[in-house]
Amino acid sequence: MIEAGLAERLASVRGGIADAARSAGRDTGGITTIVVTKFHPVSLIQELAALGVQDVGENRHQEARVKAAELAALPLTWHFVGQVQSKKARQVRAYADVIHSVDRSALVRALASAPSPAAPIGCFVQVNLTDDAGRGGVAPTALTPLVMEVLATPGLRLLGLMAVAPQDVEPRRAFAWVRELGEGVQQLAPQAGALSMGMSADYAEAIAEGATHLRIGTAITGKRPAKQ
Ligand SMILES: *Cc1c(COP(=O)(O)O)cnc(C)c1O
């Protein structure tokens, strides 16, 4: 049984994405919507899959691991969008198809040390747009060497950049900055032009600045249950 409202919210966000893409002169085919399902039960992900969702995102390793194992039979792509402890990197790699939060050298090395599966893991380098070093992400000034390290690491496939718009900045300006940083990355790696940016409140602005991967939670899932 699909929860009342879920299909409507999903349709409404899909409509919003289509509108934003049209305004930006973009094709929605170039935009992947990842539904962030953190704190929600496995049943919600099953409902989303029944509604045609193919990409889901989680940000806590313990929770993601259990969900991915339980839903292994569904044709889902698992995106890990939270901070990763280096000592957990190998475990995250075991179920995640894409990691959006590669933000330091130690994590690159830890991911590379995992027994190499058939397919390389897709990686976004996360950029921290705030002055708070405690946030996930590499400082923009330290971005290039980290990008080069990912490019030089077998088993990791660089897709592009990920960022969260800081609270005190207009989202469109923040995303324009990410787009510029992404252009720099493409000088080094023309194939790594993806941009993971845009959440429930700011996905339209992200699309206007070229987002290729939206990470949308509450606008689709409804309010998150309290953190356990
Ligand atoms: C939770 C989360 C999201 C989704 O946030 P909403 O505001 O619910 O859309 C996106 N990105 C990351 C990294 C998250 O942790």
Side-chain angles (χ1 to χ4, degrees):
M1 246 256 301
I2 293 177
E3 180 220 326
L6 185 63
E8 287 78 2
R9 287 191 300 269
L10 181 63
S12 156
V13 169
R14 282 178 174 154
I17 291 168
D19 287 346
R22 203 175 305 114
S23 303
R26 298 186 56 199
D27 182 347
T28 50
I31 300 172
T32 299
T33 302
I34 299 157
V35 184
V36 180
T37 48
K38 62 193 185 200
F39 311 159
H40 285 284
V42 158
S43 57
L44 181 103
I45 305 176
Q46 290 168 321
E47 290 167 13
L48 288 166
L51 291 166
V53 167
Q54 295 171 341
D55 291 86
V56 293
E58 290 284 334
N59 78 337
R60 292 192 304 179
H61 163 59
Q62 302 298 349
E63 179 183 339
R65 174 167 61 178
V66 171
K67 289 176 171 176
E70 254 183 82
L71 298 176
L74 291 179
L76 292 169
T77 297
W78 291 86
H79 297 258
F80 195 84
V81 304
Q83 294 191 35
V84 185
Q85 290 176 268
S86 298
K87 63 177 187 212
K88 299 287 190 220
R90 298 172 63 139
Q91 293 178 34
V92 172
R93 188 169 177 172
Y95 60 80
D97 299 293
V98 183
I99 298 194
H100 290 243
S101 43
V102 174
D103 63 357
R104 61 199 189 279
S105 196
L107 179 55
V108 173
R109 290 195 302 270
L111 286 168
S113 75
S116 38
I121 186 159
C123 294
F124 285 92
V125 169
Q126 183 180 354
V127 187
N128 182 354
L129 305 179
T130 75
D131 295 327
D132 176 359
R135 299 275 174 141
V138 63
T141 50
L143 175 60
T144 300
L146 187 61
V147 162
M148 291 178 72
E149 190 175 348
V150 174
L151 289 171
T153 304
L156 305 189
R157 186 161 66 91
L158 183 68
L159 299 175
L161 298 182
M162 181 276 225
V164 176
Q167 303 227 307
D168 54 349
V169 180
E170 244 192 278
R172 180 98 196 233
R173 286 193 53 189
F175 297 140
W177 188 13
V178 181
R179 179 174 46 71
E180 282 166 34
L181 293 169
E183 286 161 7
V185 170
Q186 279 192 281
Q187 307 272 319
L188 302 167
Q191 76 288 359
L195 298 175
S196 167
M197 58 190 195
M199 311 187 352
S200 291
D202 55 20
Y203 68 82
E205 289 87 345
I207 289 168
E209 294 298 338
T212 60
H213 291 68
L214 310 172
R215 307 179 312 272
I216 302 185
T218 48
I220 294 173
T221 63
K223 207 166 152 285
R224 280 186 275 275
K227 209 169 188 165
Q228 288 101 31

mmCIF file of all heavy atoms in Angstrom, residues 38-59:
data_model
loop_
_atom_site.group_PDB
_atom_site.id
_atom_site.type_symbol
_atom_site.label_atom_id
_atom_site.label_comp_id
_atom_site.label_asym_id
_atom_site.label_seq_id
_atom_site.Cartn_x
_atom_site.Cartn_y
_atom_site.Cartn_z
ATOM 1 N N LYS A 38 16.692 8.933 4.322
ATOM 2 C CA LYS A 38 17.233 8.756 5.674
ATOM 3 C C LYS A 38 16.139 8.866 6.737
ATOM 4 O O LYS A 38 15.234 9.708 6.605
ATOM 5 C CB LYS A 38 18.315 9.805 5.943
ATOM 6 C CG LYS A 38 17.816 11.237 5.884
ATOM 7 C CD LYS A 38 18.988 12.203 5.844
ATOM 8 C CE LYS A 38 18.492 13.633 5.907
ATOM 9 N NZ LYS A 38 19.500 14.587 5.401
ATOM 10 N N PHE A 39 16.277 8.033 7.750
ATOM 11 C CA PHE A 39 15.347 7.939 8.899
ATOM 12 C C PHE A 39 14.005 7.293 8.550
ATOM 13 O O PHE A 39 13.233 6.958 9.414
ATOM 14 C CB PHE A 39 15.059 9.280 9.593
ATOM 15 C CG PHE A 39 16.270 10.107 9.933
ATOM 16 C CD1 PHE A 39 16.154 11.474 10.146
ATOM 17 C CD2 PHE A 39 17.524 9.532 10.065
ATOM 18 C CE1 PHE A 39 17.265 12.246 10.466
ATOM 19 C CE2 PHE A 39 18.643 10.301 10.375
ATOM 20 C CZ PHE A 39 18.507 11.671 10.575
ATOM 21 N N HIS A 40 13.712 7.152 7.277
ATOM 22 C CA HIS A 40 12.443 6.530 6.882
ATOM 23 C C HIS A 40 12.592 5.010 6.802
ATOM 24 O O HIS A 40 13.668 4.512 6.508
ATOM 25 C CB HIS A 40 11.977 7.063 5.521
ATOM 26 C CG HIS A 40 11.429 8.449 5.584
ATOM 27 N ND1 HIS A 40 10.174 8.728 6.080
ATOM 28 C CD2 HIS A 40 11.977 9.633 5.234
ATOM 29 C CE1 HIS A 40 9.963 10.032 6.010
ATOM 30 N NE2 HIS A 40 11.036 10.603 5.514
ATOM 31 N N PRO A 41 11.511 4.300 7.017
ATOM 32 C CA PRO A 41 11.584 2.839 6.986
ATOM 33 C C PRO A 41 11.747 2.290 5.564
ATOM 34 O O PRO A 41 11.464 2.980 4.578
ATOM 35 C CB PRO A 41 10.228 2.404 7.565
ATOM 36 C CG PRO A 41 9.316 3.548 7.308
ATOM 37 C CD PRO A 41 10.167 4.794 7.352
ATOM 38 N N VAL A 42 12.177 1.063 5.506
ATOM 39 C CA VAL A 42 12.343 0.346 4.249
ATOM 40 C C VAL A 42 11.047 0.353 3.427
ATOM 41 O O VAL A 42 11.068 0.443 2.199
ATOM 42 C CB VAL A 42 12.805 -1.095 4.594
ATOM 43 C CG1 VAL A 42 12.506 -2.051 3.481
ATOM 44 C CG2 VAL A 42 14.288 -1.101 4.925
ATOM 45 N N SER A 43 9.912 0.309 4.116
ATOM 46 C CA SER A 43 8.633 0.270 3.395
ATOM 47 C C SER A 43 8.452 1.510 2.515
ATOM 48 O O SER A 43 7.867 1.434 1.434
ATOM 49 C CB SER A 43 7.469 0.143 4.387
ATOM 50 O OG SER A 43 7.495 1.209 5.301
ATOM 51 N N LEU A 44 8.976 2.652 2.972
ATOM 52 C CA LEU A 44 8.838 3.865 2.159
ATOM 53 C C LEU A 44 9.654 3.728 0.863
ATOM 54 O O LEU A 44 9.228 4.172 -0.202
ATOM 55 C CB LEU A 44 9.290 5.099 2.944
ATOM 56 C CG LEU A 44 9.121 6.384 2.123
ATOM 57 C CD1 LEU A 44 7.902 7.152 2.566
ATOM 58 C CD2 LEU A 44 10.348 7.240 2.157
ATOM 59 N N ILE A 45 10.815 3.118 0.993
ATOM 60 C CA ILE A 45 11.655 2.943 -0.205
ATOM 61 C C ILE A 45 10.980 1.970 -1.170
ATOM 62 O O ILE A 45 11.016 2.166 -2.386
ATOM 63 C CB ILE A 45 13.071 2.463 0.182
ATOM 64 C CG1 ILE A 45 13.693 3.428 1.199
ATOM 65 C CG2 ILE A 45 13.952 2.339 -1.054
ATOM 66 C CD1 ILE A 45 15.056 3.019 1.726
ATOM 67 N N GLN A 46 10.322 0.967 -0.630
ATOM 68 C CA GLN A 46 9.587 0.031 -1.503
ATOM 69 C C GLN A 46 8.469 0.759 -2.239
ATOM 70 O O GLN A 46 8.228 0.534 -3.427
ATOM 71 C CB GLN A 46 9.020 -1.128 -0.674
ATOM 72 C CG GLN A 46 10.122 -2.052 -0.180
ATOM 73 C CD GLN A 46 9.645 -3.028 0.881
ATOM 74 O OE1 GLN A 46 8.842 -2.670 1.755
ATOM 75 N NE2 GLN A 46 10.148 -4.252 0.845
ATOM 76 N N GLU A 47 7.794 1.658 -1.519
ATOM 77 C CA GLU A 47 6.719 2.428 -2.162
ATOM 78 C C GLU A 47 7.285 3.330 -3.259
ATOM 79 O O GLU A 47 6.712 3.447 -4.345
ATOM 80 C CB GLU A 47 5.982 3.289 -1.120
ATOM 81 C CG GLU A 47 5.156 2.450 -0.158
ATOM 82 C CD GLU A 47 4.684 3.248 1.062
ATOM 83 O OE1 GLU A 47 4.780 4.484 1.062
ATOM 84 O OE2 GLU A 47 4.226 2.605 2.019
ATOM 85 N N LEU A 48 8.424 3.948 -2.959
ATOM 86 C CA LEU A 48 9.051 4.823 -3.960
ATOM 87 C C LEU A 48 9.443 4.017 -5.197
ATOM 88 O O LEU A 48 9.232 4.455 -6.330
ATOM 89 C CB LEU A 48 10.283 5.519 -3.362
ATOM 90 C CG LEU A 48 9.968 6.614 -2.341
ATOM 91 C CD1 LEU A 48 11.232 6.987 -1.559
ATOM 92 C CD2 LEU A 48 9.403 7.859 -3.022
ATOM 93 N N ALA A 49 9.993 2.839 -4.967
ATOM 94 C CA ALA A 49 10.399 1.991 -6.103
ATOM 95 C C ALA A 49 9.179 1.629 -6.936
ATOM 96 O O ALA A 49 9.229 1.636 -8.177
ATOM 97 C CB ALA A 49 11.120 0.749 -5.603
ATOM 98 N N ALA A 50 8.067 1.366 -6.258
ATOM 99 C CA ALA A 50 6.833 1.024 -6.984
ATOM 100 C C ALA A 50 6.346 2.218 -7.805
ATOM 101 O O ALA A 50 5.643 2.053 -8.806
ATOM 102 C CB ALA A 50 5.754 0.574 -5.994
ATOM 103 N N LEU A 51 6.710 3.419 -7.379
ATOM 104 C CA LEU A 51 6.313 4.634 -8.101
ATOM 105 C C LEU A 51 7.342 5.007 -9.181
ATOM 106 O O LEU A 51 7.265 6.070 -9.785
ATOM 107 C CB LEU A 51 6.156 5.800 -7.119
ATOM 108 C CG LEU A 51 4.958 5.691 -6.164
ATOM 109 C CD1 LEU A 51 5.073 6.707 -5.021
ATOM 110 C CD2 LEU A 51 3.650 5.903 -6.914
ATOM 111 N N GLY A 52 8.329 4.164 -9.361
ATOM 112 C CA GLY A 52 9.291 4.397 -10.441
ATOM 113 C C GLY A 52 10.601 5.049 -10.035
ATOM 114 O O GLY A 52 11.430 5.357 -10.892
ATOM 115 N N VAL A 53 10.779 5.271 -8.738
ATOM 116 C CA VAL A 53 12.045 5.868 -8.290
ATOM 117 C C VAL A 53 13.165 4.840 -8.425
ATOM 118 O O VAL A 53 12.997 3.680 -8.067
ATOM 119 C CB VAL A 53 11.919 6.349 -6.826
ATOM 120 C CG1 VAL A 53 13.282 6.690 -6.221
ATOM 121 C CG2 VAL A 53 10.978 7.551 -6.756
ATOM 122 N N GLN A 54 14.287 5.287 -8.965
ATOM 123 C CA GLN A 54 15.421 4.373 -9.182
ATOM 124 C C GLN A 54 16.633 4.730 -8.350
ATOM 125 O O GLN A 54 17.527 3.902 -8.167
ATOM 126 C CB GLN A 54 15.824 4.397 -10.658
ATOM 127 C CG GLN A 54 14.730 3.836 -11.554
ATOM 128 C CD GLN A 54 15.009 4.053 -13.019
ATOM 129 O OE1 GLN A 54 15.804 4.900 -13.404
ATOM 130 N NE2 GLN A 54 14.345 3.290 -13.850
ATOM 131 N N ASP A 55 16.692 5.972 -7.868
ATOM 132 C CA ASP A 55 17.869 6.432 -7.135
ATOM 133 C C ASP A 55 17.469 6.862 -5.736
ATOM 134 O O ASP A 55 16.596 7.721 -5.569
ATOM 135 C CB ASP A 55 18.502 7.622 -7.866
ATOM 136 C CG ASP A 55 19.129 7.201 -9.184
ATOM 137 O OD1 ASP A 55 18.393 7.155 -10.195
ATOM 138 O OD2 ASP A 55 20.327 6.886 -9.194
ATOM 139 N N VAL A 56 18.112 6.261 -4.735
ATOM 140 C CA VAL A 56 17.822 6.641 -3.356
ATOM 141 C C VAL A 56 19.118 7.032 -2.654
ATOM 142 O O VAL A 56 20.197 6.541 -2.989
ATOM 143 C CB VAL A 56 17.099 5.524 -2.565
ATOM 144 C CG1 VAL A 56 15.701 5.307 -3.118
ATOM 145 C CG2 VAL A 56 17.878 4.232 -2.554
ATOM 146 N N GLY A 57 18.983 7.930 -1.665
ATOM 147 C CA GLY A 57 20.154 8.432 -0.948
ATOM 148 C C GLY A 57 19.994 8.230 0.542
ATOM 149 O O GLY A 57 18.891 8.354 1.091
ATOM 150 N N GLU A 58 21.115 7.923 1.184
ATOM 151 C CA GLU A 58 21.148 7.730 2.632
ATOM 152 C C GLU A 58 22.376 8.452 3.165
ATOM 153 O O GLU A 58 23.366 8.629 2.444
ATOM 154 C CB GLU A 58 21.247 6.233 2.964
ATOM 155 C CG GLU A 58 19.977 5.453 2.658
ATOM 156 C CD GLU A 58 18.869 5.677 3.688
ATOM 157 O OE1 GLU A 58 19.171 6.009 4.864
ATOM 158 O OE2 GLU A 58 17.690 5.530 3.312
ATOM 159 N N ASN A 59 22.322 8.855 4.447
ATOM 160 C CA ASN A 59 23.484 9.571 4.970
ATOM 161 C C ASN A 59 24.079 8.972 6.239
ATOM 162 O O ASN A 59 24.999 9.534 6.805
ATOM 163 C CB ASN A 59 23.147 11.049 5.198
ATOM 164 C CG ASN A 59 22.352 11.275 6.455
ATOM 165 O OD1 ASN A 59 21.685 10.349 6.931
ATOM 166 N ND2 ASN A 59 22.408 12.476 6.997
#
